[in-house]
Amino acid sequence: MGSLLFLTSWAVLLGPVTYAKHLVSTPRLPFTAVYFGSIALTLYSAIALHSTLLTLVAALVQLASLLWYLVSYFPMGGTGLRFAARFGTNRVAAWMSD
């Protein structure tokens, strides 16, 4: 439901046809494929397979692609996201090695 509301809100702001063209444009196509694929995988793994682990993995991929999409609209957003991911990874690695 949240994904549907997220996509609908952008479509209302930009116009449905403009937003659909934007989603299938070359720079946004990877996001579109990953996001819609992860939505489909989340639903399939939850409803058809009843797999909690696969549902969790698909939901995390969906969340990561959504974060990637949102951050891409901010100046230096991709750089900041990579920095935060690297910092978080280093902290987890340090925590696990202690």
Side-chain angles (χ1 to χ4, degrees):
M1 185 66 170
S3 296
L4 180 64
L5 291 174
F6 171 78
L7 294 171
T8 303
S9 66
W10 280 99
V12 167
L13 289 173
L14 298 174
V17 174
T18 304
Y19 187 58
K21 288 179 183 177
H22 174 71
L23 283 177
V24 295
S25 66
T26 304
R28 296 289 176 199
L29 199 54
F31 157 76
T32 303
V34 171
Y35 190 62
F36 285 105
S38 64
I39 290 172
L41 184 60
T42 302
L43 291 172
Y44 178 72
S45 59
I47 296 169
L49 299 178
H50 302 288
S51 171
T52 305
L53 183 61
L54 190 55
T55 302
L56 179 64
V57 169
L60 289 175
V61 170
Q62 183 178 347
L63 184 62
S65 67
L66 184 60
L67 181 64
W68 169 33
Y69 181 74
L70 289 173
V71 166
S72 70
Y73 280 99
F74 296 106
M76 301 292 289
T79 304
L81 184 60
R82 281 190 292 278
F83 174 76
R86 192 176 324 113
F87 179 77
T89 303
N90 290 341
R91 294 307 314 150
V92 168
W95 175 69
M96 293 183 78
S97 66
D98 287 339

XYZ file of all heavy atoms in Angstrom:
752
model
N 0.820 -1.187 0.000
C 0.000 0.000 0.000
C 0.869 1.260 0.000
O 0.573 2.208 -0.697
C -0.919 -0.046 1.229
C -1.899 1.048 1.281
S -3.047 0.873 -0.064
C -4.229 2.070 0.377
N 1.932 1.237 0.806
C 2.832 2.392 0.871
C 3.503 2.676 -0.460
O 3.664 3.835 -0.853
N 3.907 1.620 -1.162
C 4.541 1.799 -2.472
C 3.571 2.413 -3.468
O 3.947 3.284 -4.262
C 5.048 0.461 -2.996
O 6.048 -0.040 -2.165
N 2.347 1.963 -3.430
C 1.329 2.515 -4.323
C 1.099 3.997 -4.034
O 1.020 4.817 -4.951
C 0.028 1.736 -4.184
C -1.132 2.201 -5.050
C -0.803 2.022 -6.526
C -2.389 1.430 -4.702
N 1.022 4.358 -2.754
C 0.843 5.762 -2.387
C 2.055 6.601 -2.769
O 1.915 7.748 -3.217
C 0.561 5.883 -0.891
C -0.791 5.348 -0.434
C -0.892 5.395 1.090
C -1.927 6.126 -1.061
N 3.245 6.042 -2.615
C 4.464 6.752 -2.997
C 4.453 7.067 -4.497
O 4.681 8.203 -4.905
C 5.692 5.914 -2.634
C 6.976 6.461 -3.190
C 7.592 7.537 -2.587
C 7.554 5.909 -4.313
C 8.775 8.051 -3.096
C 8.730 6.408 -4.830
C 9.339 7.493 -4.216
N 4.181 6.063 -5.302
C 4.165 6.257 -6.752
C 3.038 7.188 -7.178
O 3.217 8.028 -8.066
C 4.045 4.906 -7.460
C 5.250 3.976 -7.293
C 4.932 2.604 -7.840
C 6.472 4.560 -7.961
N 1.888 7.066 -6.549
C 0.751 7.917 -6.885
C 1.036 9.376 -6.528
O 0.664 10.283 -7.293
C -0.521 7.434 -6.160
O -0.761 6.078 -6.518
C -1.716 8.265 -6.523
N 1.699 9.600 -5.417
C 1.993 10.986 -5.024
C 2.902 11.662 -6.037
O 2.694 12.822 -6.392
C 2.610 11.033 -3.635
O 3.879 10.429 -3.617
N 3.908 10.942 -6.538
C 4.773 11.517 -7.566
C 4.005 11.730 -8.865
O 4.226 12.724 -9.563
C 5.984 10.621 -7.814
C 7.052 10.800 -6.788
C 7.284 10.007 -5.711
C 8.010 11.852 -6.719
N 8.341 10.502 -4.982
C 8.806 11.632 -5.575
C 8.275 12.962 -7.509
C 9.844 12.470 -5.209
C 9.313 13.796 -7.145
C 10.090 13.556 -6.004
N 3.129 10.808 -9.190
C 2.335 10.949 -10.414
C 1.405 12.157 -10.329
O 1.197 12.860 -11.321
C 1.535 9.677 -10.673
N 0.864 12.423 -9.155
C -0.001 13.600 -8.986
C 0.817 14.882 -9.120
O 0.380 15.846 -9.749
C -0.726 13.541 -7.620
C -1.377 14.870 -7.278
C -1.759 12.431 -7.626
N 2.004 14.890 -8.549
C 2.842 16.090 -8.615
C 3.328 16.388 -10.032
O 3.354 17.542 -10.451
C 4.046 15.943 -7.688
C 3.757 16.012 -6.196
C 5.013 15.668 -5.406
C 3.249 17.396 -5.820
N 3.737 15.354 -10.756
C 4.317 15.553 -12.084
C 3.322 15.378 -13.224
O 3.611 15.774 -14.347
C 5.479 14.572 -12.293
C 6.662 14.708 -11.353
C 7.656 13.585 -11.583
C 7.323 16.053 -11.514
N 2.211 14.749 -12.950
C 1.276 14.360 -14.007
C 1.533 12.903 -14.347
O 2.692 12.496 -14.469
N 0.481 12.100 -14.509
C 0.667 10.660 -14.697
C 1.475 10.291 -15.940
O 2.349 9.422 -15.866
C -0.746 10.106 -14.791
C -1.661 11.210 -14.427
C -0.909 12.476 -14.418
N 1.215 10.940 -17.053
C 1.931 10.593 -18.286
C 3.388 11.030 -18.189
O 4.299 10.267 -18.553
C 1.228 11.230 -19.514
C 2.033 11.005 -20.781
C -0.178 10.687 -19.657
N 3.616 12.224 -17.687
C 4.989 12.713 -17.520
C 5.771 11.807 -16.570
O 6.937 11.484 -16.826
C 4.976 14.153 -16.978
O 4.203 14.962 -17.852
C 6.368 14.716 -16.853
N 5.128 11.392 -15.486
C 5.809 10.529 -14.518
C 6.095 9.149 -15.104
O 7.174 8.588 -14.881
C 4.985 10.407 -13.235
C 5.711 9.669 -12.148
C 6.935 10.116 -11.682
C 5.189 8.516 -11.590
C 7.619 9.451 -10.685
C 5.859 7.842 -10.586
C 7.070 8.319 -10.137
O 7.749 7.638 -9.161
N 5.160 8.611 -15.872
C 5.392 7.307 -16.517
C 6.569 7.400 -17.479
O 7.420 6.506 -17.524
C 4.134 6.839 -17.234
N 6.645 8.486 -18.242
C 7.787 8.681 -19.158
C 9.086 8.836 -18.368
O 10.134 8.349 -18.788
C 7.553 9.908 -20.038
C 6.500 9.701 -21.089
C 6.308 10.962 -21.911
C 5.197 10.779 -22.937
N 4.954 12.009 -23.702
N 8.992 9.512 -17.243
C 10.171 9.711 -16.399
C 10.681 8.366 -15.850
O 11.890 8.131 -15.812
C 9.806 10.651 -15.245
C 10.877 10.832 -14.237
N 12.030 11.538 -14.491
C 10.985 10.398 -12.959
C 12.798 11.523 -13.421
N 12.181 10.840 -12.471
N 9.764 7.505 -15.439
C 10.170 6.210 -14.882
C 10.859 5.313 -15.903
O 11.719 4.514 -15.534
C 8.956 5.483 -14.305
C 8.451 5.977 -12.959
C 7.206 5.201 -12.551
C 9.512 5.864 -11.889
N 10.483 5.416 -17.157
C 11.087 4.548 -18.175
C 12.200 5.253 -18.944
O 12.719 4.716 -19.913
C 10.033 3.973 -19.139
C 9.083 3.061 -18.411
C 9.292 5.067 -19.872
N 12.599 6.469 -18.502
C 13.731 7.143 -19.131
C 15.017 6.389 -18.780
O 15.077 5.652 -17.794
C 13.812 8.596 -18.672
O 14.115 8.666 -17.301
N 16.025 6.570 -19.575
C 17.273 5.824 -19.423
C 17.891 5.937 -18.025
O 18.264 4.920 -17.439
C 18.291 6.256 -20.496
O 17.691 6.072 -21.770
C 19.567 5.443 -20.414
N 18.005 7.138 -17.437
C 18.633 7.205 -16.103
C 17.803 6.543 -15.006
O 18.342 6.080 -14.004
C 18.766 8.701 -15.823
C 18.451 9.406 -17.075
C 17.727 8.464 -17.970
N 16.483 6.489 -15.156
C 15.610 5.945 -14.110
C 15.213 4.489 -14.337
O 14.601 3.872 -13.471
C 14.326 6.779 -14.000
C 14.564 8.174 -13.558
C 14.968 8.196 -12.123
N 15.276 9.559 -11.743
C 15.980 9.886 -10.697
N 16.434 8.952 -9.907
N 16.226 11.126 -10.414
N 15.551 3.945 -15.475
C 15.136 2.574 -15.784
C 15.681 1.537 -14.798
O 14.943 0.629 -14.409
C 15.508 2.213 -17.224
C 14.777 1.037 -17.832
C 13.271 1.215 -17.721
C 15.181 0.865 -19.272
N 16.932 1.646 -14.340
C 17.393 0.673 -13.332
C 16.546 0.716 -12.059
O 16.187 -0.329 -11.511
C 18.836 1.090 -13.044
C 19.268 1.813 -14.266
C 18.044 2.500 -14.792
N 16.231 1.929 -11.587
C 15.367 2.040 -10.405
C 14.021 1.385 -10.661
O 13.525 0.615 -9.833
C 15.133 3.501 -10.016
C 13.872 3.687 -9.217
C 13.842 3.328 -7.885
C 12.713 4.160 -9.805
C 12.671 3.460 -7.142
C 11.544 4.298 -9.075
C 11.521 3.948 -7.742
N 13.435 1.696 -11.799
C 12.107 1.170 -12.119
C 12.114 -0.348 -12.125
O 11.231 -0.990 -11.545
C 11.633 1.715 -13.482
O 11.652 3.152 -13.437
C 10.236 1.251 -13.810
N 13.118 -0.940 -12.748
C 13.198 -2.395 -12.831
C 13.394 -3.016 -11.443
O 12.703 -3.979 -11.085
C 14.340 -2.797 -13.761
N 14.306 -2.461 -10.665
C 14.575 -3.015 -9.333
C 13.382 -2.807 -8.407
O 12.976 -3.722 -7.688
C 15.857 -2.390 -8.730
C 16.029 -2.771 -7.274
C 17.073 -2.807 -9.533
N 12.804 -1.614 -8.439
C 11.705 -1.306 -7.524
C 10.471 -2.154 -7.823
O 9.922 -2.799 -6.931
C 11.374 0.185 -7.596
C 10.424 0.644 -6.527
C 10.764 0.545 -5.181
C 9.193 1.194 -6.842
C 9.906 0.971 -4.191
C 8.328 1.629 -5.859
C 8.695 1.518 -4.540
O 7.837 1.936 -3.553
N 10.047 -2.176 -9.077
C 8.865 -2.966 -9.418
C 9.134 -4.467 -9.301
O 8.255 -5.233 -8.907
C 8.342 -2.608 -10.807
C 7.624 -1.299 -10.844
C 8.213 -0.175 -11.395
C 6.361 -1.176 -10.302
C 7.552 1.040 -11.419
C 5.686 0.038 -10.318
C 6.289 1.148 -10.879
N 10.356 -4.885 -9.621
C 10.715 -6.291 -9.452
C 10.696 -6.703 -7.991
O 10.218 -7.788 -7.636
N 11.194 -5.826 -7.112
C 11.197 -6.159 -5.686
C 9.784 -6.138 -5.107
O 9.468 -6.922 -4.210
C 12.117 -5.213 -4.909
O 11.639 -3.888 -4.968
N 8.920 -5.274 -5.617
C 7.516 -5.289 -5.179
C 6.871 -6.621 -5.562
O 6.214 -7.272 -4.749
C 6.726 -4.113 -5.782
C 7.168 -2.790 -5.167
C 5.221 -4.299 -5.576
C 6.584 -1.566 -5.840
N 7.090 -7.026 -6.805
C 6.520 -8.294 -7.273
C 7.084 -9.472 -6.481
O 6.338 -10.381 -6.075
C 6.795 -8.475 -8.765
N 8.393 -9.464 -6.234
C 9.015 -10.551 -5.475
C 8.528 -10.577 -4.026
O 8.309 -11.650 -3.458
C 10.537 -10.434 -5.521
C 11.318 -11.560 -4.855
C 10.999 -12.900 -5.514
C 12.801 -11.281 -4.918
N 8.347 -9.407 -3.441
C 7.829 -9.339 -2.075
C 6.436 -9.956 -1.994
O 6.151 -10.791 -1.128
C 7.783 -7.881 -1.570
O 9.093 -7.330 -1.626
C 7.266 -7.802 -0.150
N 5.570 -9.557 -2.903
C 4.210 -10.096 -2.902
C 4.199 -11.596 -3.186
O 3.485 -12.357 -2.526
C 3.345 -9.354 -3.920
C 3.032 -7.898 -3.578
C 2.329 -7.215 -4.743
C 2.205 -7.819 -2.314
N 4.986 -12.029 -4.159
C 5.026 -13.449 -4.521
C 5.559 -14.297 -3.364
O 4.986 -15.342 -3.030
C 5.878 -13.652 -5.774
C 6.000 -15.090 -6.181
C 4.920 -15.766 -6.734
C 7.189 -15.787 -6.011
C 5.013 -17.090 -7.105
C 7.298 -17.107 -6.374
C 6.210 -17.764 -6.925
O 6.323 -19.081 -7.279
N 6.644 -13.827 -2.750
C 7.231 -14.629 -1.672
C 6.345 -14.645 -0.427
O 6.337 -15.626 0.310
C 8.634 -14.138 -1.327
O 8.599 -12.789 -0.932
N 5.587 -13.578 -0.204
C 4.710 -13.539 0.964
C 3.413 -14.305 0.736
O 2.978 -15.076 1.592
C 4.389 -12.087 1.321
N 2.808 -14.122 -0.443
C 1.492 -14.711 -0.693
C 1.580 -16.140 -1.217
O 0.901 -17.034 -0.719
C 0.685 -13.819 -1.670
C 0.416 -12.459 -1.015
C -0.621 -14.483 -2.067
C -0.138 -11.412 -1.953
N 2.425 -16.360 -2.216
C 2.476 -17.681 -2.851
C 3.415 -18.640 -2.124
O 3.073 -19.800 -1.906
C 2.895 -17.540 -4.305
N 4.602 -18.162 -1.756
C 5.601 -19.057 -1.162
C 5.516 -19.126 0.364
O 6.051 -20.068 0.957
C 7.008 -18.603 -1.559
C 7.327 -18.603 -3.051
C 8.742 -18.092 -3.279
C 7.158 -19.992 -3.638
N 4.928 -18.141 0.983
C 4.862 -18.048 2.448
C 6.257 -18.136 3.068
O 6.449 -18.768 4.101
C 3.966 -19.140 3.039
C 2.573 -19.101 2.524
N 1.669 -18.123 2.883
C 1.925 -19.911 1.653
C 0.528 -18.339 2.258
N 0.655 -19.416 1.511
N 7.217 -17.484 2.409
C 8.597 -17.513 2.877
C 8.932 -16.190 3.574
O 9.029 -15.145 2.931
C 9.556 -17.722 1.695
O 10.889 -17.550 2.102
N 9.101 -16.262 4.871
C 9.417 -15.062 5.647
C 10.777 -14.503 5.266
O 10.934 -13.292 5.094
C 9.388 -15.382 7.151
O 8.114 -15.947 7.471
C 9.633 -14.147 7.983
N 11.766 -15.364 5.110
C 13.114 -14.916 4.794
C 13.175 -14.238 3.424
O 13.745 -13.152 3.286
C 14.094 -16.097 4.848
C 15.554 -15.755 4.603
C 16.060 -14.780 5.658
C 16.394 -17.012 4.596
N 12.583 -14.854 2.421
C 12.590 -14.264 1.074
C 11.785 -12.965 1.045
O 12.164 -12.012 0.364
C 12.041 -15.259 0.052
C 12.195 -14.880 -1.418
C 13.651 -14.585 -1.757
C 11.671 -15.996 -2.299
N 10.705 -12.915 1.796
C 9.911 -11.690 1.880
C 10.729 -10.569 2.506
O 10.708 -9.428 2.027
C 8.633 -11.918 2.713
O 7.873 -12.974 2.110
C 7.785 -10.666 2.790
N 11.478 -10.887 3.550
C 12.319 -9.894 4.207
C 13.409 -9.384 3.267
O 13.648 -8.174 3.173
C 12.944 -10.486 5.471
C 13.870 -9.565 6.251
C 13.105 -8.363 6.788
C 14.534 -10.332 7.373
N 14.055 -10.285 2.551
C 15.108 -9.890 1.614
C 14.531 -8.991 0.520
O 15.098 -7.946 0.185
C 15.800 -11.130 1.012
C 16.698 -10.743 -0.148
C 16.586 -11.864 2.083
N 13.395 -9.380 -0.047
C 12.776 -8.589 -1.102
C 12.337 -7.219 -0.586
O 12.478 -6.206 -1.276
C 11.590 -9.334 -1.695
N 11.831 -7.173 0.633
C 11.420 -5.897 1.223
C 12.626 -4.991 1.463
O 12.541 -3.773 1.266
C 10.667 -6.136 2.522
N 13.757 -5.564 1.857
C 14.975 -4.771 2.051
C 15.490 -4.225 0.724
O 15.946 -3.080 0.649
C 16.049 -5.599 2.752
C 15.776 -5.905 4.224
C 16.839 -6.844 4.777
C 15.694 -4.632 5.032
N 15.417 -5.028 -0.329
C 15.800 -4.551 -1.667
C 14.871 -3.423 -2.100
O 15.311 -2.409 -2.657
C 15.792 -5.709 -2.695
C 15.933 -5.190 -4.113
C 16.882 -6.708 -2.370
N 13.600 -3.584 -1.827
C 12.620 -2.555 -2.161
C 12.930 -1.255 -1.409
O 12.910 -0.171 -1.994
C 11.223 -3.053 -1.814
C 10.116 -2.115 -2.182
C 8.759 -2.708 -1.841
O 8.638 -3.889 -1.558
N 7.747 -1.892 -1.858
N 13.229 -1.354 -0.148
C 13.563 -0.184 0.660
C 14.848 0.484 0.171
O 14.918 1.714 0.076
C 13.696 -0.589 2.124
C 13.943 0.531 3.119
C 12.785 1.514 3.120
C 14.140 -0.051 4.498
N 15.852 -0.309 -0.172
C 17.114 0.243 -0.666
C 16.913 0.959 -2.000
O 17.469 2.041 -2.220
C 18.150 -0.868 -0.815
N 16.112 0.387 -2.890
C 15.880 1.044 -4.182
C 15.071 2.321 -4.009
O 15.302 3.310 -4.701
C 15.194 0.090 -5.161
O 13.886 -0.211 -4.749
N 14.159 2.335 -3.062
C 13.391 3.541 -2.776
C 14.299 4.634 -2.219
O 14.203 5.804 -2.616
C 12.277 3.220 -1.789
C 11.313 4.340 -1.451
C 10.588 4.829 -2.690
C 10.312 3.851 -0.423
N 15.196 4.271 -1.321
C 16.155 5.222 -0.771
C 17.050 5.782 -1.874
O 17.308 6.990 -1.936
C 16.990 4.558 0.321
C 18.016 5.425 1.020
C 17.325 6.557 1.782
C 18.842 4.585 1.965
N 17.506 4.908 -2.760
C 18.342 5.316 -3.897
C 17.581 6.326 -4.757
O 18.130 7.344 -5.175
C 18.726 4.071 -4.683
C 19.364 4.276 -6.013
C 20.202 5.291 -6.407
C 19.230 3.436 -7.151
N 20.593 5.114 -7.703
C 20.004 3.979 -8.178
C 18.529 2.257 -7.383
C 20.086 3.396 -9.433
C 18.624 1.673 -8.635
C 19.395 2.235 -9.634
N 16.326 6.081 -5.016
C 15.503 6.964 -5.822
C 15.343 8.328 -5.160
O 15.508 9.366 -5.800
C 14.138 6.324 -6.051
C 13.198 7.138 -6.903
C 13.392 7.232 -8.270
C 12.114 7.796 -6.348
C 12.531 7.962 -9.064
C 11.248 8.535 -7.127
C 11.454 8.615 -8.484
O 10.608 9.339 -9.261
N 15.035 8.347 -3.883
C 14.829 9.612 -3.178
C 16.116 10.428 -3.089
O 16.114 11.634 -3.310
C 14.277 9.354 -1.777
C 12.848 8.868 -1.702
C 12.486 8.496 -0.271
C 11.899 9.911 -2.238
N 17.206 9.762 -2.773
C 18.479 10.461 -2.611
C 18.978 11.020 -3.934
O 19.646 12.053 -3.968
C 19.513 9.513 -1.961
C 20.915 10.049 -2.064
C 19.152 9.270 -0.519
N 18.626 10.399 -5.032
C 19.109 10.850 -6.335
C 18.585 12.233 -6.701
O 19.131 12.880 -7.592
C 18.717 9.844 -7.427
O 17.323 9.864 -7.648
N 17.566 12.711 -6.021
C 17.032 14.040 -6.305
C 17.758 15.148 -5.553
O 17.562 16.320 -5.840
C 15.534 14.102 -5.984
C 14.717 13.493 -7.074
C 14.237 12.210 -6.970
C 14.452 14.201 -8.235
C 13.496 11.638 -7.986
C 13.710 13.645 -9.254
C 13.235 12.361 -9.121
O 12.508 11.801 -10.125
N 18.576 14.812 -4.574
C 19.306 15.813 -3.819
C 20.684 16.019 -4.423
O 21.333 15.057 -4.831
C 19.455 15.382 -2.352
C 18.153 15.276 -1.632
C 17.619 14.038 -1.325
C 17.462 16.416 -1.267
C 16.418 13.933 -0.666
C 16.253 16.318 -0.611
C 15.727 15.077 -0.306
N 21.163 17.269 -4.458
C 22.532 17.490 -4.938
C 23.518 16.734 -4.047
O 23.389 16.752 -2.819
C 22.719 19.010 -4.793
C 21.353 19.583 -4.733
C 20.479 18.508 -4.133
N 24.447 16.081 -4.652
C 25.443 15.256 -3.957
C 24.793 14.114 -3.182
O 25.388 13.542 -2.286
C 26.297 16.111 -2.999
C 27.057 17.232 -3.664
S 28.351 16.649 -4.744
C 29.501 16.026 -3.559
N 23.574 13.750 -3.536
C 22.847 12.706 -2.818
C 23.495 11.345 -2.951
O 23.623 10.613 -1.967
N 23.904 10.989 -4.165
C 24.550 9.694 -4.378
C 25.860 9.590 -3.628
O 26.172 8.555 -3.025
N 26.635 10.666 -3.623
C 27.907 10.675 -2.910
C 27.673 10.534 -1.410
O 28.364 9.779 -0.729
C 28.670 11.980 -3.202
O 28.821 12.107 -4.614
C 30.023 11.999 -2.533
N 26.688 11.256 -0.910
C 26.366 11.167 0.517
C 25.882 9.785 0.914
O 26.234 9.271 1.975
N 25.070 9.179 0.051
C 24.574 7.836 0.339
C 25.713 6.817 0.345
O 25.774 5.955 1.211
C 23.506 7.434 -0.681
C 22.821 6.100 -0.457
C 22.105 6.078 0.892
C 21.833 5.820 -1.575
N 26.640 6.932 -0.605
C 27.794 6.029 -0.632
C 28.660 6.215 0.616
O 29.142 5.250 1.202
C 28.613 6.239 -1.898
C 28.021 5.564 -3.117
C 28.971 5.594 -4.303
N 29.176 6.939 -4.821
C 28.353 7.555 -5.665
N 27.256 6.951 -6.071
N 28.603 8.770 -6.091
N 28.852 7.480 1.026
C 29.622 7.754 2.237
C 28.958 7.127 3.462
O 29.619 6.489 4.277
C 29.784 9.263 2.440
C 30.438 9.618 3.744
C 31.808 9.468 3.907
C 29.684 10.087 4.804
C 32.410 9.777 5.108
C 30.279 10.394 6.011
C 31.648 10.260 6.172
N 27.647 7.309 3.584
C 26.919 6.750 4.736
C 26.979 5.224 4.725
O 27.151 4.597 5.772
C 25.472 7.231 4.726
N 26.863 4.621 3.549
C 26.920 3.164 3.454
C 28.315 2.660 3.827
O 28.451 1.662 4.536
C 26.544 2.712 2.044
N 29.346 3.344 3.338
C 30.717 2.942 3.663
C 30.975 3.089 5.160
O 31.560 2.220 5.794
C 31.712 3.786 2.860
C 33.121 3.272 2.909
C 34.105 4.046 2.021
N 33.552 4.508 0.768
C 33.366 5.799 0.446
N 33.698 6.742 1.302
N 32.876 6.138 -0.714
N 30.524 4.204 5.740
C 30.698 4.429 7.168
C 29.962 3.362 7.975
O 30.513 2.795 8.924
C 30.178 5.828 7.548
C 30.295 6.128 9.007
C 31.521 6.477 9.557
C 29.187 6.058 9.839
C 31.633 6.756 10.904
C 29.286 6.326 11.181
C 30.519 6.682 11.721
N 28.726 3.073 7.597
C 27.947 2.053 8.303
C 28.585 0.678 8.200
O 28.640 -0.071 9.182
N 29.088 0.342 7.015
C 29.745 -0.947 6.810
C 31.000 -1.052 7.674
O 31.254 -2.090 8.292
C 30.109 -1.135 5.326
O 28.926 -1.027 4.548
C 30.763 -2.475 5.073
N 31.775 0.024 7.722
C 32.983 0.023 8.561
C 32.641 -0.129 10.038
O 33.333 -0.829 10.768
C 33.790 1.303 8.338
C 34.444 1.341 6.980
O 34.606 0.318 6.320
N 34.792 2.536 6.531
N 31.575 0.529 10.482
C 31.174 0.428 11.882
C 30.717 -0.991 12.225
O 31.045 -1.514 13.282
C 30.057 1.423 12.218
C 30.444 2.878 12.132
C 31.680 3.285 12.920
N 31.711 2.776 14.268
C 32.816 2.489 14.943
N 33.998 2.659 14.400
N 32.754 2.017 16.162
N 29.959 -1.601 11.337
C 29.496 -2.961 11.582
C 30.679 -3.928 11.591
O 30.772 -4.816 12.444
C 28.435 -3.381 10.535
C 28.154 -4.865 10.594
C 27.147 -2.582 10.742
N 31.617 -3.730 10.650
C 32.796 -4.593 10.604
C 33.628 -4.439 11.871
O 34.119 -5.436 12.426
C 33.637 -4.265 9.372
N 33.778 -3.228 12.353
C 34.537 -3.001 13.590
C 33.826 -3.617 14.790
O 34.460 -4.196 15.669
C 34.744 -1.495 13.814
N 32.517 -3.501 14.798
C 31.732 -4.059 15.896
C 31.830 -5.586 15.912
O 31.956 -6.199 16.952
C 30.275 -3.626 15.749
C 29.357 -4.238 16.745
C 29.314 -3.994 18.077
C 28.340 -5.199 16.470
N 28.321 -4.751 18.664
C 27.710 -5.495 17.701
C 27.887 -5.843 15.322
C 26.678 -6.406 17.787
C 26.849 -6.740 15.427
C 26.261 -7.016 16.645
N 31.821 -6.190 14.728
C 31.872 -7.653 14.634
C 33.260 -8.192 14.956
O 33.395 -9.334 15.390
C 31.395 -8.132 13.268
C 29.923 -7.860 13.042
S 29.342 -8.488 11.494
C 29.188 -10.207 11.895
N 34.305 -7.391 14.713
C 35.664 -7.878 14.965
C 36.053 -7.741 16.431
O 37.041 -8.314 16.865
C 36.665 -7.138 14.093
O 36.721 -5.770 14.459
N 35.290 -6.949 17.200
C 35.608 -6.796 18.632
C 35.182 -7.978 19.436
O 34.408 -8.752 19.265
C 34.949 -5.543 19.206
C 35.639 -4.281 18.713
O 36.803 -4.380 18.284
O 35.006 -3.208 18.774
